[in-house]
Structure formats: structure tokens, C-alpha cells
Amino acid sequence: MMPRALLLRLAAAAAVAAPLGAQITPGAPKPADAYVIRNATIVPVTGPRITGGSVVLSKGRIAAVGASVDTPPGATVIDGTGMFVYPGLIDSGTRLGLTEIGSVPGGDDLVEVGPFNPHDVALTAVNPHSEHIAVSRYNGITSVLTAPTGGIIAGTASLIDLSGWTGDQMAVKRQAALVVNYPRIGGGRGGRGGRFGGEALDPAIAVTELHEYFARAKAYSDVKTKLAAGQPGTQRTDLAMEAMVPFVRGELPVVFDAETAAQIRGALGLADEFKLKPVIRGAAEAWRLADTLAARKVPVVVGPTYREPDASSAYDEIYANPGVLVKAGVQIAFQTTGASDVRDLPFQVGITEGFGLAPDDALRAVTINAARIWGVGDQLGSIETGKVANLFVSTGDPMDPRSHVKYLFIRGEQVPLVDRQTKFYEEFRARPKPPKP
Amino acid sequence: MTQTLARRAGTVLTGIALGVTPLAAQQGAGAAPADGWNGAGALSIPVPPAAKLVAITHATILTASHGTITDGTIVIRDGKIAAVGSGVPVPAGAQVIDATGKFVTPGIIDAHSHSSLQGINEMSSSVTSQVRIEDAFREDGLTLYRQLAGGVTAANVLHGSANTIGGQNLTVKMRFGLPVDSMKYDKAPPGIKFALGENVRQTNNPPQPGRPLRYPHTRMGVEELLRDSFTRAREYQQEWKAYDKAKAAWKHGQPEPIPPARDVQLDPLVEVLEGTRLVHAHSYRADEILMLLHVAKDFGFRIASLQHVLEGYKVADEIAAANTGASTFADEWAYKLEAWDAIAFNPSLMAERGVRVTVNSDSDERARRLYQDAAKAMHYGNTSEEEALKMITLNAAWQLGIDKYTGSIDVGKDADIAIFTAHPFSPQARVDMTLVDGRVFFDRRTAPTLEAVLQSLRHTRAAMGGGAE
């Protein structure tokens, strides 16, 4: 399909690195031992911008950041003049790897049968060779939370880097969060919060069942604790309950997909009752509870922002919500809920800046905030020495569609910005003019 | 012939309806829109009357036709642009809109919309050229206001894509709040929707149980149905030509020629053959795009725009050679098999090859942020700023046959204008004001924003003694 000349061009464009180390991305050149990006504006997110700065990447980590750094011998040098270095962007809610073509059900692993599937772990079904992964990288996205969507408890979300020959190589956290579709009583707003994966459950009953399910899981976990402490007794293994244990013990976050203020209040109440670590996601009406969410330090993942508000809501509700939350002191991140459209993450964030979200807060939301919410704030989300080298070099603000990502690194490896779409583009751009009929 | 057709078309207009009586019709067709009455009443959004003379001053003006003017002035007289430039004097008595620090663009024109419709597809047949989308249009759809808040001033409201030959379109100006007759853009030539591919084959609109499959069910069948329809239309056209000739030659005392039977389905297709009705054709794959261009060529008509045209980049030269526009998404893809080869570089690559490209919404949601979707053409494929702006303004006007009247900021054109708080392609962009024919139909200062809702909630709670959540 692809002309040979084009393949050679692509290969040449990609061949920056020396053949050393373990290659983690299909299609990527063999990684160099080290890279240094020179003379760029570094945007560390957790610290002030460094103009004329450099970043050293070595053995998958950020080895040095600053105005002047030592270049390791043999490092591949990238001239960052006039460009900016940002930490890789993180999408806090996707279906990436779990669906390929919307109308083709054979490629879809999103909805399991039954209302409660905590032991369905996304990573099991993530197709590491999904075309959408490379397409997402094109705009600077290096990690995503991905999860199934059906039922009341949809499953367990996995946090993955967008690079790797296998799911295991992509995994940042196989078990990152439990995904709960908090039932919506009274109908109204669409979105994830209202879907039950084909289960015709009345939302009020669904709320009751959800409470009962957590109560069962709590009891299971308590028995497990007592047995471990040496109390006599037995417990039959229940894989679904086993999957619930870290969540009811408050060790890992529970994501509540909830849009209305009523859903959010309900989710917070459930989190109180079982001492969970809640994250509210979707959250179209979170602005109504901004002070509460800030006071309780409950993180909120907003989005997708590419959707309409309810008919009864302000015309700009979806776009203005993130800014209101940040002003109230809520820690926010963003989600696209996408697969094919994860690449829109920076633009979905950007559209809210005109409606009150400050650019620095926008960037923080999709980098360090997301990393912290998913428990990897010490590894990802900023450009700091010792962190995993997920970052990219861009001609400007990634939320601005007029900018272009030029280089992208995941775990210190340069990943070429080549995908199904760039291949078609190059190929047909080179199509000779057809003869006049 | 044209006159005869116009007479016949007049009959068609009263003959076909989708069961909707537009409010304006109830109030009496042609009634002057009374200022003060507006469908936005439920939102309490004031739409002040148009000022006779308006001046937008100190603006950065992106004209879409002749570059960018800094510290520019636009003078609007009776709803038309009377002067544009830097150093243009503000006429005495003008209502001044100070746009210091702001960016002004032509009003956005959405080349593919189904907004505010009470029915989108007449599914009973694969040829429904007799159906008119204006019979299903509501002038008070909330989405129209929300689109004004996104800078949209006009839209091509289309029939759906279920049929090979769908219904007649409606070009509207977003005069939200006025009766429906005032929203129809009377300068726009009539148009019609065609569709190819999966939707027509009903692979994405599956027939209901107990209902037989509808012809066509393959792309070959789609071509056959097009050729059959236009063969019938051509013969019908010939019958009328022969009749008109015979009627003109007829003298009293001779047997009077009998007119051919009216065919309301073929009337619009004859207009297509005569070039007076524009074809907007839903299409995805390169093969079906070429098929349609061949059919149109064989019957001697032009396709005004290919809609979606996601594989247009593969046959951009052929589209350009046919003088056909391309109206596509910024970056939608992979939602069905025929969207699998779609690329976000499509607008740029087609434009590079000389195609007049628009970025459309096809959605109430996307219509509110077309300014950002246009900017994506700069992101994917390095389209220039002005070319990207044309994709949501001047090129759309050209595709709809209204580029003489709107689509750019030029003297003599309708004052359809969007004013942004920042460069429309920057993340900080937000629409401040939208003018249609020089009248302010959206003004952020009086709009029911979330901030306004929050303030009102705070006041209420304070009055009730606190209790903030």
C-alpha cells in the first residue's frame, strides 16, 4: 500500500537514535541511551518556566533539568530553539484500546454482561496495537486512564503509557481505579452516569444495589482482615469481592461517573459511608458543589467538554465549569471519554480557557493533577529530575491548535509521530496529478 | 421554461408538508417581525432592534477575503457593511461598539446542519426530492441561540442521509427570536441533499423487523438509482419543453396541446439539471465520490458540495476539476467503517489541491465551536490562517451560493459578524457578540451565562441567610 520511497522517508525521519537499550514501542527506532533537548523553554509545571533550558533524558528517566546541564557522552542532541518542552498529557477517562471502529461491534470490549464487574480489568483487553494509540500521541498525550463503560460497576480502570509491544509494557498501574456509573434518578442528563449496560434497572433500585454491593465488599474485606490477624474461620474466595478489597479499604480511588448535583451528592454520601477515596468524573454540574468539593478535597475529572449542556442549563455551563471549580480550590483533571478522539484532549481543555480556566491551571489539570489523582504524582506529570521521561517538544501551547508537537518521548524513548493518518497524508500528498480527461 | 418551473414550484410548496405548521404561517405569512417579540422569551434574552448606523471600532479584523486589519473600523448602515479599514471615520450618530483588544471575523456559516428540526429523514423511499426540510424547521430551537453564542450567523439546514436523493435544504440566517419566515435566507438558491454509502445502503440505519429491505443495498445500486432518477427527470424536462414549444406555437382553432402530468418528485431534479438547485451530497469513500462526479458530468450538472467527503483527500484533484466544494469534519473518524480512512489532514490537503473546503458541524454541539475546529486545519497540514477562516465563512458562502452577500467583511455585504474576546483560533477565544444584518443577536453582557446563574444563586442564598454548599 505504502510506496517504498515513502517508507524510506518515514524511516529516515524516525532514525534519530543509536541502537542501544530495549525498544518499547513498535515502529520506533532503537532508543538512544540518552537524549538532551537543548535551548528550549522548559515548562516543568511544578516549577517556574526555564527559558534557554535543557532537559537530559537517560535510561527512561529525566536525568537533569535546568539552564545549564551536563550532556552525557553519546547523547542524541535535539535543538529546541524556539520551542517548548512540556510533560506528557494525561487523559483521565478514555476507552482507548477497548474499541476500534464505532460501528463494528467485533472490535468492542466496553460493556460486560451484568451490573457489577469490578474484576474486569481494562488492561486485559487493551489492544496495544490499536490505531488510536499512535493517533493520540500525535498531540502530546503520553498516558491515559482507560476503562470499560457498562453496568453500575463497569470494572477496574488501568493507567497506561501510550507505548509498548504488550499491555504489560504499557501498564503504569494495572489497577488504577474502580469505575462506578453512579445511577441517575429522575432522568435528564445523558452521559456515562446514566448507562447500565443493557440492564433495565430502575435508578433508585440501582442506588440501593450499589450500597448493598459496597456493604458486601466491606464485610468481605473485614473478614479477610480478621483472618489475616489470626482469628479463626474460613472465607470462600470471591473474585469480584477480591477486586473490591483495595477500594473499600481506601487504598485506591473509586471513580464515580456522575453528572448532576444529585448524583454527585449521592456519590459523596456513599464514599462517606464506606470511607472510600472518591473521584467525581463527568461532573457537568460540579460547579453547584464547588465549595463542598474543595473543602472535602475531592478531585473532579471534567469532560468531555465537547458536549452540550442540558436544555435548562446556561449555554456555557460545560465550558465554564472547570474555571469555576479551580477558582473554588478544587483539584481538577480532564477526560475525553474517547478512543478515536483522545487526540482532542488538549483542544477540549483549550476551549474552556476562554470561559475562565487560566492557562497554567489548564496545563496542570492534564499533567500533575492527573498524575496525583491516579497515585503516580511521584512518577509522572511534571518535568523534574528522577521522574519518568514522558514529555514532548512543541512549537507552542499544546492547547492551541496552531501549535505542533515536534518530538515526543515516552519512558525516555523517542516515539515517532507517525500513524495511520500521517501515512495516508504523506502518501496522497505525493499523489501525481491525474492526466486531464 | 424557468418561469413555468417557478410556477410549478409554487404549487409544490403548498402541496408538501411533514405535518408541521410553522408559527409564522399561523401568524400570517409575510407579517413583519415585531420588535420586542422573540422566541427567546423563555430565556429572557433581549434582542434589541437593529441600529440604523453602527460602527465597530479599534478591532483586529480578520476579513476572510483581504487579510487582517489592525485597529480597524467597520461601519454598518442599514444592516450592510458600508466601510471597512483602519482610519475609517466613525459617522456621526453611529452606535459605537468599542472592540479594543478584540477580534472580529465574518459570521460563521455552518455548511452542514440539522439543527432545530422536528424530523430529519423521510425514510419511506430512497428518492424523496419532493420533501422540504423547511417544513420541519422550528425557529425557536434553543440550539440556534447557543450557536449564535458560538459566532454562527447562517447555516445550511439539510435533510438527513438516509436517501440517495433526499429532501430540499433550507439556508437560514440565525435571526433567533424572529418568526421562521424571517430566518429563511431568501437570497440563497434552493438546494437538495444527496447521499451515498453506508447510510443509504441502510447498514447504519437498519430496517425495522418485519419491514423489507429497501433498494438500493449496494453502492452499485446507488449509482443506478441516481441514473434512473435523472433519466426520468430529463425525459420529464423534455416533455415540458415540447409542451411549452407546442403551446407557444398553438393557435386558436387548432387542437390545444395537453400539458404533461405534474411530477413533484421530478420538478426539483429538473432544477438540478438546469443548474438552479444546488446539490449537497453526503459521501465518504473516494470511489463513491468519483461515481457521483461521473453521474453529474454525464447529466450535465454540477455538485455544489460534497458533504463529509472524508476520503476527499484521495481524489482532491478530481473534486477541484469538477468545481465542486468539499464540506468536511475537522477531525471526526473511525465511527464507522467508511470513516476508517478519514484523516484530520483532509481539509488542508484538499485545499492545497485547489478545492474550496469548509469545516462543518453536522451537530448542535460542534456548531458552537466551529472556530476551534477551523483552527485544526492549521494544526493538521499547516493551512494558513486566512484559508482556515475561509473554511467556516467565505467558502461556506460559496458552497451555498451566497458569497456575493455574506461570508467576508467586505463593503456591500450583509453585516454578519462575530466579535471574539481573543484570536478566534486561540484557546482564550470566546464570542462576545454576534451580529446578523447589523443587528446584535447575541451579546455576552446580557446572555444567561453560568457566571450570571452563580451570582443569582449567591444572592438568593445570602438573602436566605447563607447555606452555601
Side-chain angles (χ1 to χ4, degrees):
Chain A
M1 180 78 189
M2 195 183 301
R4 187 178 152 71
L6 174 61
L7 269 175
L8 288 173
R9 249 200 336 275
L10 290 173
V16 177
L20 290 166
Q23 189 182 355
I24 58 169
T25 306
K30 291 280 174 60
D33 216 20
Y35 293 88
V36 56
I37 304 161
R38 284 204 167 285
N39 196 32
T41 301
I42 317 294
V43 186
V45 175
T46 45
R49 288 177 179 228
I50 305 160
T51 50
S54 298
V55 185
V56 178
L57 285 57
S58 178
K59 299 185 174 64
R61 299 268 162 181
I62 295 166
V65 191
S68 73
V69 295
D70 293 330
T71 302
T76 301
V77 177
I78 289 173
D79 180 12
T81 305
M83 294 199 278
F84 301 79
V85 186
Y86 292 94
L89 307 183
I90 303 170
D91 189 332
S92 291
T94 74
R95 300 168 293 147
L96 202 58
L98 300 175
T99 179
E100 200 70 8
I101 300 176
S103 72
V104 179
D108 190 319
D109 282 298
L110 291 168
V111 179
E112 190 46 272
V113 174
F116 298 105
N117 289 294
H119 48 322
D120 278 9
V121 180
L123 193 68
T124 303
V126 167
N127 171 11
H129 312 294
S130 164
E131 298 285 353
H132 300 304
I133 291 171
V135 168
S136 302
R137 287 193 299 245
Y138 187 83
N139 285 342
I141 296 123
T142 56
S143 311
V144 306
L145 192 77
T146 190
T149 59
I152 301 173
I153 293 183
T156 295
S158 302
L159 185 68
I160 57 172
D161 279 338
L162 298 189
S163 159
W165 292 88
T166 66
D168 290 341
Q169 287 182 337
M170 298 173 81
V172 179
K173 279 185 113 173
R174 181 180 159 81
Q175 270 185 301
L178 188 71
V179 178
V180 178
N181 283 321
Y182 194 85
R184 187 186 60 233
I185 295 171
R189 192 182 295 281
R192 284 186 174 191
R195 288 214 298 267
F196 297 107
E199 300 295 314
L201 270 181
D202 178 86
I205 294 168
V207 168
T208 308
E209 292 204 356
L210 183 59
H211 278 256
E212 285 174 357
Y213 199 80
F214 269 97
R216 239 182 89 202
K218 178 76 169 50
Y220 185 91
S221 170
D222 288 348
V223 170
K224 212 173 152 70
T225 306
K226 286 172 185 166
L227 287 171
Q231 277 183 253
T234 59
Q235 183 177 42
R236 271 189 246 161
T237 302
D238 179 328
L239 295 181
M241 289 295 113
E242 287 290 334
M244 291 291 288
V245 167
F247 303 110
V248 292
R249 286 181 180 172
E251 293 162 9
L252 289 172
V254 177
V255 174
F256 291 98
D257 282 321
E259 301 291 357
T260 65
Q263 279 177 294
I264 296 168
R265 279 191 213 98
L268 292 178
L270 190 119
D272 283 345
E273 186 181 341
F274 295 100
K275 299 190 172 55
L276 308 174
K277 214 169 141 183
V279 176
I280 303 296
R281 195 166 68 169
E285 282 184 4
W287 57 270
R288 288 187 185 275
L289 293 155
D291 294 338
T292 304
L293 291 161
R296 297 187 46 162
K297 298 193 190 315
V298 173
V300 173
V301 176
V302 290
T305 64
Y306 279 3
R307 60 175 165 157
E308 279 197 277
D310 266 3
S312 60
S313 299
Y315 78 92
D316 61 342
E317 181 196 58
I318 298 289
Y319 299 157
N321 185 34
V324 172
L325 292 172
V326 169
K327 282 191 191 90
V330 180
Q331 183 186 39
I332 67 159
F334 279 84
Q335 66 165 352
T336 60
T337 68
S340 64
D341 51 348
V342 168
R343 65 175 165 187
D344 274 328
L345 177 71
F347 310 138
Q348 290 211 18
V349 175
I351 197 99
T352 71
E353 290 185 22
F355 294 78
L357 183 67
D360 285 349
D361 291 325
L363 182 62
R364 207 169 286 129
V366 284
T367 55
I368 191 66
N369 287 6
R372 285 174 181 157
I373 291 168
W374 308 123
V376 290
D378 57 339
Q379 297 292 309
L380 300 176
S382 63
I383 299 178
E384 291 178 79
T385 303
K387 277 197 163 178
V388 174
N390 285 7
L391 51 83
F392 63 93
V393 183
S394 170
T395 59
D397 177 0
M399 307 336 166
D400 190 326
R402 295 169 297 181
S403 317
H404 298 92
V405 175
K406 291 292 183 189
Y407 306 96
L408 180 129
F409 295 85
I410 295 177
R411 299 182 187 178
E413 178 188 298
Q414 191 188 353
V415 186
L417 297 165
V418 174
D419 58 49
R420 181 180 179 83
Q421 303 211 0
T422 62
K423 285 173 188 170
F424 277 132
Y425 175 53
E426 295 298 339
E427 189 172 330
F428 282 92
R429 205 163 180 233
R431 181 190 167 199
K433 281 246 176 213
K436 288 250 188 269
Chain B
M1 184 67 190
T2 311
Q3 269 188 346
T4 321
L5 261 179
R7 197 171 67 236
R8 288 208 302 271
T11 317
V12 176
L13 296 186
T14 54
I16 308 296
L18 295 176
V20 182
T21 308
L23 191 52
Q26 293 169 18
Q27 292 174 332
D35 280 333
W37 181 89
N38 71 81
L43 290 169
S44 303
I45 302 161
V47 180
K52 203 168 164 50
L53 196 56
V54 180
I56 302 169
T57 60
H58 305 297
T60 302
I61 304 167
L62 281 61
T63 63
S65 58
H66 58 285
T68 299
I69 300 162
T70 52
D71 195 14
T73 302
I74 302 172
V75 177
I76 301 165
R77 197 183 294 275
D78 294 324
K80 300 267 189 288
I81 297 170
V84 188
S86 56
V88 168
V90 177
Q95 176 200 321
V96 173
I97 299 171
D98 181 357
T100 304
K102 291 177 181 157
F103 288 73
V104 175
T105 70
I108 293 167
I109 302 171
D110 186 355
H112 189 128
S113 167
H114 302 293
S115 292
S116 201
L117 292 179
Q118 290 178 313
I120 294 174
N121 275 304
E122 172 52 57
M123 302 277 288
S124 57
S125 162
S126 203
V127 181
T128 57
S129 39
Q130 68 274 35
V131 167
R132 305 182 318 162
I133 211 68
E134 74 174 88
D135 294 318
F137 182 76
R138 290 182 62 123
E139 81 277 26
D140 59 351
L142 179 61
T143 180
L144 302 174
Y145 178 75
R146 290 179 170 179
Q147 293 178 30
L148 275 166
V152 177
T153 56
N156 179 18
V157 185
L158 289 163
H159 187 271
S161 54
N163 307 338
T164 308
I165 296 177
Q168 301 168 26
N169 75 331
L170 172 68
T171 303
V172 296
K173 282 243 199 146
M174 295 285 174
R175 298 164 183 140
F176 179 71
L178 299 184
V180 72
D181 282 0
S182 305
M183 293 193 69
K184 182 173 177 174
Y185 190 37
D186 50 13
K187 287 175 188 157
I192 190 166
K193 177 79 172 283
F194 285 11
L196 315 171
E198 289 183 26
N199 291 15
V200 178
R201 290 157 61 220
Q202 293 186 287
T203 35
N204 287 312
N205 293 312
Q208 300 306 306
R211 275 174 58 186
L213 274 182
R214 196 187 71 181
Y215 184 88
H217 208 253
T218 66
R219 285 186 169 83
M220 294 82 83
V222 172
E223 178 183 21
E224 193 278 335
L225 194 67
L226 281 169
R227 288 188 183 275
D228 177 68
S229 300
F230 279 99
T231 300
R232 288 191 292 123
R234 194 155 62 183
E235 289 177 1
Y236 176 65
Q237 181 189 36
Q238 294 309 323
E239 284 173 19
W240 274 97
K241 276 186 178 162
Y243 166 75
D244 287 344
K245 199 174 162 187
K247 187 75 197 277
W250 175 68
K251 292 186 179 66
H252 278 284
Q254 295 174 340
E256 187 174 352
I258 303 165
R262 282 286 316 283
D263 190 324
V264 294
Q265 190 178 75
L266 294 182
D267 285 334
L269 300 189
V270 171
E271 291 172 347
V272 169
L273 288 171
E274 293 183 337
T276 56
R277 182 175 290 280
L278 302 177
V279 177
H280 304 291
H282 163 117
S283 55
Y284 279 78
R285 267 176 26 189
D287 52 275
E288 68 195 20
I289 291 166
L290 289 186
M291 176 277 284
L292 181 66
L293 294 180
H294 290 325
V295 169
K297 192 178 178 197
D298 290 350
F299 285 90
F301 65 90
R302 183 181 74 94
I303 305 295
S305 75
L306 293 158
Q307 297 288 330
H308 309 316
V309 63
L310 294 187
E311 289 188 17
Y313 69 93
K314 295 184 179 178
V315 287
D317 294 322
E318 287 84 351
I319 296 170
N323 196 26
T324 288
S327 177
T328 189
F329 295 130
D331 54 5
E332 294 291 309
W333 78 296
Y335 47 93
K336 52 182 167 173
L337 195 58
E338 63 186 359
W340 185 230
D341 280 8
I343 64 174
F345 304 89
N346 192 35
S348 289
L349 186 37
M350 288 194 293
E352 214 173 284
R353 294 282 181 138
V355 180
R356 292 214 220 190
V357 176
T358 56
V359 171
N360 70 49
S361 83
D362 190 18
S363 133
D364 292 349
E365 187 273 309
R366 281 189 290 270
R368 302 176 309 135
R369 53 176 174 83
L370 279 170
Y371 54 94
Q372 194 199 45
D373 266 3
K376 289 174 184 170
M378 297 178 74
H379 184 73
Y380 300 107
N382 297 305
T383 290
S384 72
E385 180 185 290
E386 182 151 292
E387 191 60 38
L389 182 61
K390 279 183 185 173
M391 289 179 180
I392 50 170
T393 57
L394 191 55
N395 287 0
W398 180 81
Q399 290 178 1
L400 298 180
I402 52 176
D403 51 321
K404 275 188 196 145
Y405 315 113
T406 186
S408 62
I409 297 182
D410 282 293
V411 172
K413 284 197 173 182
D414 297 352
D416 299 337
I417 284 166
I419 304 177
F420 289 84
T421 54
H423 192 291
F425 296 161
S426 77
Q428 288 79 36
R430 172 176 192 161
V431 172
D432 224 29
M433 212 179 254
T434 307
L435 289 78
V436 182
D437 304 307
R439 185 173 181 177
V440 179
F441 276 85
F442 172 79
D443 185 343
R444 184 159 70 106
R445 291 166 306 176
T446 54
T449 58
L450 186 64
E451 186 51 40
V453 173
L454 274 168
Q455 278 182 17
S456 131
L457 276 178
R458 281 183 205 119
H459 285 308
T460 310
R461 283 184 186 155
M464 295 180 77
E469 285 192 274

